[in-house]
Amino acid sequence: MTTVAHVVGARPNFMKAAPVIRALNALPVRQLLIHTGQHYDASMSDAFFRQLSLPTPDINLGVGSGSHAQQTADVMIGFEKFIGANRPDLLVVYGDVNSTMAASLVAAKAGIPIAHVEAGLRSFDRTMPEEINRIVTDCLATLFFTPSADADANLKREGIDAARIHLVGNVMIDTLIKCLPMANANAILAPLGIGERQPYILVTLHRPSSVDDPALLAALIEVLNDLAKEYPVIFPVHPRTQAKLAAATRAATLHLLDPVGYLEFVGLEKNARLVITDSGGVQEETTYLGVPCLTVRDNTERPVTISDGTNRLAGRDPHTLRRLAKESLEGPVPKKRIPALWDGHASERIAAVIAKELR
């Protein structure tokens, strides 16, 4: 029987892989799930597997934290051993994390075809580790599944054969649509004294460009403290941000939380008055939900969230963030515009292409 292997390593991968695995269940294929363990904290991994109904991984490589080089090397060593004993006919990788690139390098050298879900996205900023991962993975892939037309254009400009590029839509939105009826944040909001209809601001910050510079992080927190005078600010803190936050800032007026599960986070997102983030996936989810979003970055690999959605780039200037936040909070909620093919069926389109390729 034909074998399809999926590699996931970090929280965003889980939301992307879950609908694809479900869609491929309709095909006569054997599926293997490899968790690299890049996100190893239970709140960042185990809870997501439960809430997304992902199957138990066939193996967890347990690479844990470390430098980019160490993580990449550990994934390559562990994954090479796994495919030596369980050679798949196709490897499916997701997004732009270190696990994605590392598994692709191993598979390419072993002669295993690679399908890249969320291919073609570009920030054009090579100081971002994720941009390097995206470029390398797309250099090695065989099938390219793109979420938006700009990704197609990027791949064609890089010389990829148009016949291998498939505009399928956004698999993260497949998961979002499926889980929306179950998404509820009342268990988080109630202990904070925040009512269901009370407006609040939701914040996520985790990228090195946002949190590794103590002066910048302190300035961003001061902006959030200022906003908290008018609206509650809810900030689930990523594990890598925790130490930086404690060392560099005064955040006493913010509701700092441990990372929350996917269903709880979507519940927080859908009812937020404003979301401030540096996450790519959050830009997409808020666009679908019609929630105003400010991205604390100088660029985005998801420009469709700006052209068609509710996202605006605030850069990393605290003064600009403060100004745009006040504009968003005082102005009308933007009209909801959903990009093409963000309809909950991207994974089915992926399964159809894979079925054709595996004949």
Side-chain angles (χ1 to χ4, degrees):
M1 179 180 286
T2 301
T3 299
V4 176
H6 307 262
V7 167
V8 297
R11 171 174 169 157
N13 292 166
F14 309 150
M15 287 92 86
K16 296 165 190 173
V20 176
I21 291 171
R22 281 195 300 272
L24 288 175
N25 281 336
L27 303 181
V29 299
R30 174 185 177 227
Q31 297 193 73
L32 298 174
L33 180 60
I34 299 94
H35 185 354
T36 68
Q38 182 176 329
H39 272 175
Y40 55 91
D41 185 275
S43 62
M44 301 293 288
S45 178
D46 296 355
F48 275 65
F49 269 75
R50 291 193 302 271
Q51 293 186 346
L52 299 175
S53 300
L54 276 164
T56 301
D58 294 275
I59 188 172
N60 188 324
L61 301 181
V63 301
S65 61
S67 69
H68 288 284
Q70 182 179 342
Q71 272 193 341
T72 301
D74 288 347
V75 171
M76 291 181 70
I77 292 168
F79 185 59
E80 184 179 55
K81 291 178 181 177
F82 181 80
I83 64 169
N86 305 272
R87 183 181 176 88
D89 299 286
L90 177 69
L91 173 68
V92 185
V93 294
Y94 300 85
D96 54 20
V97 300
N98 289 339
S99 299
T100 301
M101 180 188 70
S104 297
L105 283 166
V106 172
K109 292 191 174 187
I112 296 169
I114 302 162
H116 185 196
V117 175
E118 205 178 72
L121 297 182
R122 298 289 183 271
S123 67
F124 304 101
D125 178 2
R126 294 201 181 190
T127 66
M128 293 179 63
E130 295 87 353
E131 182 78 350
I132 303 300
N133 292 342
R134 288 188 282 265
I135 292 169
V136 172
T137 300
D138 283 338
C139 283
L140 301 172
T142 310
L143 290 173
F144 302 83
F145 295 117
T146 61
S148 50
D150 57 282
D152 290 42
N154 291 335
L155 292 170
K156 291 172 184 176
R157 187 170 53 250
E158 293 170 8
I160 301 299
D161 182 357
R164 294 195 286 145
I165 302 171
H166 303 274
L167 177 57
V168 295
N170 193 325
V171 291
M172 281 193 70
I173 303 304
D174 289 17
T175 293
L176 181 65
I177 291 172
K178 180 178 184 294
C179 292
L180 263 178
M182 300 172 284
N184 191 310
N186 289 342
I188 295 172
L189 294 174
L192 303 178
I194 299 173
E196 289 185 31
R197 299 184 182 278
Q198 182 178 350
Y200 58 85
I201 299 168
L202 176 64
V203 177
T204 74
L205 296 171
H206 74 281
R207 293 184 183 274
S209 60
S210 304
V211 303
D212 281 4
D213 179 344
L216 174 61
L217 182 57
L220 293 175
I221 294 299
E222 283 308 306
V223 173
L224 298 179
N225 283 332
D226 185 34
L227 296 174
K229 296 173 184 175
E230 302 292 333
Y231 295 90
V233 175
I234 302 172
F235 188 173
V237 182
H238 188 285
R240 80 174 305 276
T241 308
Q242 191 71 259
K244 312 282 186 183
L245 197 62
T249 63
R250 181 183 62 82
T253 62
L254 310 181
H255 295 293
L256 302 179
L257 309 177
D258 290 332
V260 301
Y262 179 70
L263 296 178
E264 292 81 5
F265 186 77
V266 171
L268 289 172
E269 275 186 302
K270 70 178 183 179
N271 292 317
R273 180 62 182 83
L274 173 67
V275 175
I276 297 174
T277 190
D278 57 10
S279 161
V282 172
Q283 296 171 48
E284 296 173 324
E285 290 165 347
T286 50
T287 281
Y288 182 85
L289 295 169
V291 175
C293 178
L294 295 178
T295 297
V296 186
R297 285 171 47 189
D298 297 322
N299 50 60
T300 179
E301 65 283 356
R302 294 163 168 85
V304 71
T305 64
I306 296 174
S307 62
D308 293 11
T310 57
N311 182 33
R312 288 195 291 173
L313 289 180
R316 293 184 299 145
D317 175 34
H319 300 292
T320 302
L321 177 62
R322 179 183 280 106
R323 175 176 59 81
L324 293 179
K326 291 186 179 295
E327 286 180 9
S328 295
L329 293 166
E330 294 169 1
V333 176
K335 292 182 179 179
K336 183 177 179 179
R337 294 175 294 168
I338 300 174
L341 299 180
W342 290 24
D343 57 3
H345 300 287
S347 54
E348 296 163 28
R349 289 185 278 268
I350 289 172
V353 173
I354 288 177
K356 184 177 179 181
E357 291 290 326
L358 293 178
R359 283 176 190 165

